[in-house]
Amino acid sequence: MDMVKLSKYLSIDLESRELLDESNHSRSPLSLAELEIIKLLAQRIGDVVSKEELNEAGWPGRLVAPSSLTQCISTLRRKLESQNDIELKNIPRYGYSLCVIESDELVLPKSVPQSEGGNASPAVNHLSRYWRWLAVVLFFVFLAGLHFSGKLKQTVNYLALLAQPGVASILNAETELAGQKVKLSQLRLEDQPDEHRSASHFIGSWSNTDKVFGNELLTRIFANDNNRYESVALCNQYEGECKDTQPLNLVRDRNTYSPLDLQWLSDTKLRMEQVTYNKILLDKFENPSQGLVEDIYRADVYYYGASKNVVRADVRLSLVYQSPARGTLVMAACITDDLLRHVSMRYQFSGEFKMQQKTVDGQLVKSFLLDTENVSFTSPDAISEESATIYREIRKSVLSNETQILRQIYQDANSGVWMLPLWGDTMVWAHRVEVTL
């Protein structure tokens, strides 16, 4: 019998899809979504599992309403309510955690003075109660101060962002592309498997590379596999900095082998870029102070698959720094595809950011922790199968979250490499313009 043990008496019977309580030999049937969700929670007992991961486990590849997960968790709680040693906790704005209480024993700290009868002295008990009450009062005064200053929500969101996985490693490798030297830097986040793919895995299926890449300068590539999609950001003219005015950004489904004819893609790009779909102006900051610096980034990102339909994301990003580590950020994207050329979907979000930076394997990585204040989304009148890939990601990762984290992996005078919320965390090499307001 295939079983997953949850506690001393409770197990999941995977074969019959039931919760088995050995204390009274009772069984509770589970729906398929309930089974997959509690299996995932059981694999990570005590850890917080995000809503996105739970949605993907319960309804893989499907777009479901947020209430579906809420209802599923509510049903699981009812089926677990007789278990005193298991609790399914809600972690606001992030996800859920399955907690197992292993012992009810209370262990007194050794530093507490004991009386001859084994109990703490009255004076010590009185002092201990005083400090506990004082700590509680000060805590609520602190919360009240945050609340009335309007900073409570912002503080909670910031703490949630700090728990997000950071960049764990950047592995550099050298290879060749169209007879030219290529330096490929592969990123791995802390929540991704500790493995790196070969350079040929990302670029080995490309053909006609010599017709597109032909220069004396080094080609530089940043790549990432986010467990759903693989993305590549490529500068074709790199000599200490990117001299390519239109770096190439590509995304594909990691589970589908998709050979790519770069000459065909180049022709398709040229046709699609005749129109700049993204009409959203990013300089919407109110009354900016003189002397502030605004960084403006623009890039095109292309998703390709087994079909001949290409999806284009026209991306704009603007940051106004009010201090070296704080400011305001706006990101906008307009998505179209070659099949439905005159139909587009658009989304935009903005808010205040806090920037943190650290060096990973010799590369300076900046993380922009964003508390989103304004989010807008324009749904398309029609959607292709290929465009549905990013449509699902936008609704899941952008529209349903009050916070975002954007990472900058590289920057020079004219460009920057980012991980942006498109097809999950997507590598994007963007053209950069700096403006002093």
Side-chain angles (χ1 to χ4, degrees):
M1 185 179 294
D2 199 357
M3 307 287 285
V4 175
K5 195 78 171 175
L6 294 179
S7 67
K8 183 177 180 180
Y9 296 110
L10 190 66
S11 303
I12 307 172
D13 187 335
L14 300 178
E15 186 176 344
S16 64
R17 212 164 69 196
E18 294 174 318
L19 282 175
L20 172 61
D21 187 346
E22 297 177 15
S23 65
N24 56 16
H25 303 289
S26 64
R27 290 178 174 267
S28 300
L30 298 168
S31 69
L32 185 58
E34 292 167 4
L35 174 66
E36 295 302 323
I37 285 173
I38 198 169
K39 272 174 55 182
L40 179 57
L41 289 166
Q43 290 168 5
R44 296 162 61 178
I45 283 181
D47 293 336
V48 180
V49 183
S50 70
K51 295 178 182 178
E52 291 77 14
E53 292 176 278
L54 294 171
N55 273 323
E56 183 62 27
W59 301 274
R62 293 171 54 194
L63 185 65
V64 296
S67 58
S68 299
L69 178 60
T70 304
Q71 180 61 41
C72 186
I73 293 293
S74 178
T75 304
L76 284 172
R77 280 185 174 139
R78 286 198 300 271
K79 294 177 180 180
L80 294 171
E81 62 185 1
S82 63
Q83 307 297 318
N84 296 325
D85 54 352
I86 293 182
E87 184 179 1
L88 186 46
K89 291 185 177 181
N90 174 33
I91 311 301
R93 286 173 293 278
Y94 188 77
Y96 297 91
S97 177
L98 188 65
C99 300
V100 177
I101 303 170
E102 297 180 353
S103 174
D104 293 329
E105 296 178 1
L106 176 63
V107 180
L108 290 173
K110 293 181 179 179
S111 60
V112 177
Q114 302 290 315
S115 66
E116 292 182 0
N119 297 319
S121 66
V124 170
N125 281 334
H126 175 74
L127 188 60
S128 177
R129 285 196 299 271
Y130 169 78
W131 285 112
R132 283 200 299 267
W133 277 110
L134 180 61
V136 170
V137 170
L138 290 175
F139 176 72
F140 279 104
V141 168
F142 174 71
L143 287 182
L146 288 175
H147 174 73
F148 288 111
S149 67
K151 298 290 187 180
L152 179 58
K153 178 181 176 182
Q154 186 176 355
T155 301
V156 171
N157 287 343
Y158 181 65
L159 292 175
L161 281 170
L162 290 178
Q164 294 292 314
V167 176
S169 64
I170 302 176
L171 180 67
N172 295 315
E174 290 192 358
T175 183
E176 286 193 358
L177 182 66
Q180 303 293 329
K181 291 183 179 179
V182 174
K183 180 180 179 181
L184 189 145
S185 301
Q186 185 180 349
L187 276 77
R188 183 179 68 83
L189 298 183
E190 292 170 344
D191 64 341
Q192 294 175 348
D194 188 10
E195 61 182 12
H196 287 86
R197 297 183 181 274
S198 65
S200 62
H201 173 83
F202 290 99
I203 64 177
S205 63
W206 297 356
S207 61
N208 281 329
T209 55
D210 55 324
K211 296 181 180 178
V212 178
F213 305 124
N215 61 76
E216 300 298 326
L217 300 181
L218 176 70
T219 296
R220 183 81 190 271
I221 295 176
F222 286 87
N224 176 251
D225 178 352
N226 66 23
N227 299 326
R228 297 186 303 277
Y229 300 98
E230 295 171 352
S231 56
V232 168
L234 182 151
C235 173
N236 187 34
Q237 302 177 46
Y238 185 84
E239 192 175 33
E241 63 180 21
C242 183
K243 300 180 181 298
D244 191 345
T245 57
Q246 288 188 313
L248 181 62
N249 300 293
L250 300 175
V251 185
R252 70 179 181 187
D253 189 322
R254 75 185 302 267
N255 296 315
T256 303
Y257 178 75
S258 304
L260 178 64
D261 184 333
L262 283 180
Q263 182 61 61
W264 168 81
L265 178 67
S266 180
D267 295 339
T268 303
K269 282 172 75 278
L270 185 63
R271 181 174 63 252
M272 296 182 72
E273 290 173 7
Q274 295 302 312
V275 179
T276 300
Y277 294 93
N278 195 344
K279 301 296 185 182
I280 302 172
L281 298 178
L282 296 180
D283 52 342
K284 292 186 177 181
F285 303 106
E286 296 181 1
N287 303 320
S289 302
Q290 290 186 348
L292 293 182
V293 174
E294 179 179 10
D295 272 353
I296 302 173
Y297 296 86
R298 184 195 176 278
D300 287 309
V301 185
Y302 289 89
Y303 171 87
Y304 69 96
S307 73
K308 289 295 183 180
N309 188 25
V310 175
V311 181
R312 175 193 179 205
D314 182 0
V315 181
R316 308 295 173 89
L317 182 66
S318 179
L319 301 91
V320 171
Y321 289 87
Q322 295 157 351
S323 73
R326 291 174 179 266
T328 309
L329 181 150
V330 179
M331 177 178 165
C334 181
I335 294 93
T336 57
D337 63 56
D338 196 34
L339 182 64
L340 303 171
R341 297 182 192 176
H342 302 292
V343 179
S344 65
M345 70 180 94
R346 304 164 185 260
Y347 79 92
Q348 176 174 328
F349 60 82
S350 62
E352 295 184 356
F353 71 79
K354 297 178 183 178
M355 188 268 288
Q356 297 178 335
Q357 60 184 34
K358 67 175 183 177
T359 301
V360 180
D361 293 332
Q363 188 79 40
L364 182 64
V365 177
K366 297 179 181 179
S367 296
F368 294 81
L369 312 176
L370 182 69
D371 188 12
T372 54
E373 298 171 358
N374 300 294
V375 180
S376 63
F377 179 65
T378 303
S379 296
D381 297 326
I383 192 169
S384 67
E385 181 180 349
E386 292 77 17
S387 290
T389 57
I390 191 170
Y391 177 79
R392 289 191 293 265
E393 292 295 328
I394 292 172
R395 294 191 63 87
K396 179 176 69 174
S397 302
V398 178
L399 302 183
S400 61
N401 290 334
E402 296 180 347
T403 57
Q404 294 291 333
I405 180 166
L406 283 67
R407 301 177 181 87
Q408 187 186 63
I409 314 302
Y410 166 86
Q411 179 179 302
D412 59 37
N414 300 309
S415 71
V417 178
W418 290 80
M419 294 187 78
L420 299 179
L422 295 164
W423 286 267
D425 286 321
T426 300
M427 301 301 306
V428 178
W429 205 317
H431 183 67
R432 172 177 180 256
V433 176
E434 182 180 293
V435 178
T436 301
L437 302 176

